[in-house]
Structure formats: C-alpha cells, structure tokens
C-alpha cells in the first residue's frame, strides 16, 4: 500500500466525513465514560461481503488496505460503508485524547476507547456531577464528575464575564458553548469576581489558542487541524 496527500482519496472521504457528522447531533456535555468496563458496548465482528475487499483510510489516505483489517467502530460505519478508517489512525486519536485512553470518533464525535484490541464505547452510570451539580453520565466515577467537568479539570482556562468583564478561571469547558472563539457562550457559570450571579463567558484569546483542536466546536473550523495532527503523529 502507499500513502497519498489529502488531494488523493482523502478529498472524497473528507466530504463524506462532513456529511456523516452533519447528520448526527453532538452532545457536548454528556456521555463520555472515563474507562471501558466489562459491560462496554463493543462493535460486532463482521465478515467481508460483496466487492469491498480493500479501502482507503479517510484520515491518512493509505490505500488498498484489506477491508477485514479496518477499524471496526461501535458507533459508526459498516463493512459496506464508503467511509472507513485504518486501525492506526483511530489508535492515534485515542492516544491523543483524554489521559491517552479516550478519543473522539472522527465521524460522529462519540467517545471511543480500546479494550482487548477492540474499539468500544464505554458505558457508565448517571448521577449528579459534583462539579457542575447537574444530572449527567459520570465520566470519572472516583470524583463523580461528568465528561465536561473532566475535560474542564484538565483544561481550566480563563474566561471573561460578559457583565463585569473581569477574568475568572473556570474548571469547565465553557469554550464548548461558544460558536466562535470571540463570542460569549450561551451557558452560564457563577461569577465570583464582581457580579455574584450566573453570567455568560468567553475564553480569553491566549487560552483559546491552547484548546485542543479535537475538543473545539466544529464551528471554530479547526477540524482539519486535528486530522492533520493525527496524520503527522501516525507517520
């Protein structure tokens, strides 16, 4: 097999990736378990059918990969799908993710992990998050925190209050509620600087540049930056 630049097979696949992603609603603040368990949802094993004997990876553009060695995901794609990924690209996505064990599906943005050489979507219980105090799917069972608060704990950036315009560090990914890096988000958080009330926030410019591309809203336009980083690491 050989590798080609994005102008090869990847150009067609990127268009399909965007189409698939547009059809799925991304829940930014729910559904990211911290680790796979014995009850984790696993993708069923499949056997090649029809004429699909090989494929081109939609991320790295490696061609003529045997179809039976493709990355079998629990959330997206079948063996007959025109959108396929090689195992190494999905492994890199997971390695780059939260604590090196949770990555985002490049099609639907669901969380992925790897267990016993299979890609799985870990499951977890619902409870009241001890950080945001909302009923959520718990990602960190030990600290009882939801996905968003686990991410925010790893990336506690500074944000500007839309009312008093003072800056406050928030251990929650408030950037995920911003349509652009410069707009105030639509979700509130308590202002401890001057307002003493729940207000809207936007990440400060210096910290906006530090947000991992894979965790940015798609409206920020950094998706290709993320996929290119995966390609570079895969090489």
């Amino acid at each position: 097999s050989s590798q080609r630049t994005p102008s090869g097979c990847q150009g067609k696949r990127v268009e399909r990736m965007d189409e698939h992603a547009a059809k799925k609603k991304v829940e930014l603040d729910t559904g990211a378990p911290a680790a796979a368990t014995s009850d984790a949802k696993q993708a069923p094993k499949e056997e090649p059918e029809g004429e699909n004997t090989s494929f081109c990876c939609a991320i790295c553009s490696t061609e003529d990969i045997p179809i039976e060695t493709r990355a079998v995901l629990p959330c997206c794609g079948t063996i007959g799908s025109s959108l396929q990924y090689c195992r190494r690209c999905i492994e890199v996505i997971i390695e780059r993710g939260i604590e090196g064990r949770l990555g985002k599906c490049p099609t639907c943005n669901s969380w992925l992990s790897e267990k016993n050489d299979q890609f799985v979507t870990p499951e977890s219980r619902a409870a009241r998050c001890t950080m945001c105090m909302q009923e959520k799917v718990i990602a960190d069972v030990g600290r009882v925190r939801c996905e968003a608060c686990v991410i925010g704990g790893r990336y506690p950036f500074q944000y500007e209050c839309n009312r008093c315009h003072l800056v406050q560090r928030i251990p929650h990914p408030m950037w995920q509620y911003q349509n652009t890096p410069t707009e105030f988000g639509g979700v509130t958080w308590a202002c401890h600087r001057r307002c003493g009330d729940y207000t809207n926030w936007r990440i400060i410019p210096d910290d906006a540049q530090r947000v991992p591309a894979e965790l940015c809203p798609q409206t920020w336009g950094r998706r290709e930056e993320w996929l290119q980083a995966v390609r570079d690491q895969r090489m």
Side-chain angles (χ1 to χ4, degrees):
S1 61
S2 60
Q3 292 183 347
R4 296 186 178 180
T5 63
S7 60
C9 70
Q10 184 184 343
K12 298 178 182 178
R13 298 308 195 277
V14 166
E15 292 179 1
R16 296 192 182 104
M17 289 167 69
D18 292 338
E19 291 173 0
H20 280 268
K23 293 179 182 178
K24 291 183 177 281
K25 180 179 179 181
V26 177
E27 298 294 343
L28 293 173
D29 58 346
T30 59
T37 66
S38 58
D39 297 326
K41 177 182 175 183
Q42 297 186 2
K45 293 183 178 180
E46 298 174 318
E47 296 296 330
E49 296 179 357
E51 300 178 356
N52 292 334
T53 59
S54 64
F55 70 96
C56 171
C57 177
I59 296 178
C60 68
S61 298
T62 299
E63 295 184 309
D64 299 325
I65 305 174
I67 191 67
E68 63 271 16
T69 66
R70 82 191 216 284
V72 180
L73 306 181
C75 51
C76 294
T78 65
I79 202 164
S81 173
S82 61
L83 187 67
Q84 303 287 358
Y85 308 105
C86 70
R87 285 191 57 88
R88 183 54 190 150
C89 280
I90 300 300
E91 289 171 348
V92 170
I93 285 174
I94 293 173
E95 291 168 5
R96 288 175 47 85
I98 302 298
E99 298 178 356
R101 57 187 174 81
L102 282 174
K104 290 281 192 177
C105 170
T107 300
C108 71
N109 212 39
S110 297
W111 288 97
L112 295 171
S113 188
E114 188 173 11
K115 182 179 177 65
N116 298 328
D117 293 325
Q118 287 188 309
F119 298 117
V120 300
T121 299
E123 296 178 351
S124 186
R125 62 185 178 87
R128 190 179 184 86
C129 174
T130 56
M131 177 60 69
C132 66
M133 305 305 293
Q134 301 293 316
E135 289 288 332
K136 301 283 185 67
V137 175
I138 298 304
D140 186 332
V141 177
R143 293 182 296 174
V144 194
R145 293 187 180 180
C146 68
E147 170 212 336
C149 288
V150 169
I151 294 174
R154 184 172 183 181
Y155 303 105
F157 294 135
Q158 296 189 85
Y159 298 83
E160 175 192 351
C161 172
N162 74 325
R163 192 178 302 174
C164 68
H165 297 288
L166 296 178
V167 173
Q168 174 178 317
R169 188 176 298 277
I170 299 178
H172 187 88
M174 301 298 288
W175 78 80
Q176 292 188 337
Y177 313 119
Q178 298 178 222
N179 288 328
T180 70
T182 59
E183 294 181 40
F184 286 98
V187 173
T188 61
W189 191 271
C191 177
H192 301 301
R193 298 305 304 275
R194 180 177 295 170
C195 302
D197 196 5
Y198 284 85
T199 59
N200 298 91
W201 302 82
R202 67 179 172 190
I203 193 168
I204 65 172
D206 286 347
D207 281 352
Q209 299 176 14
R210 298 168 54 202
V211 176
E214 56 265 44
L215 297 180
C216 289
Q218 290 201 17
T219 53
W220 285 27
R222 296 182 59 190
R223 177 181 174 82
E224 180 56 31
E225 176 186 338
W226 167 42
L227 296 179
Q228 185 58 53
V230 173
R231 296 180 200 113
D232 292 343
Q233 184 171 331
R234 185 192 187 285
M235 302 303 178

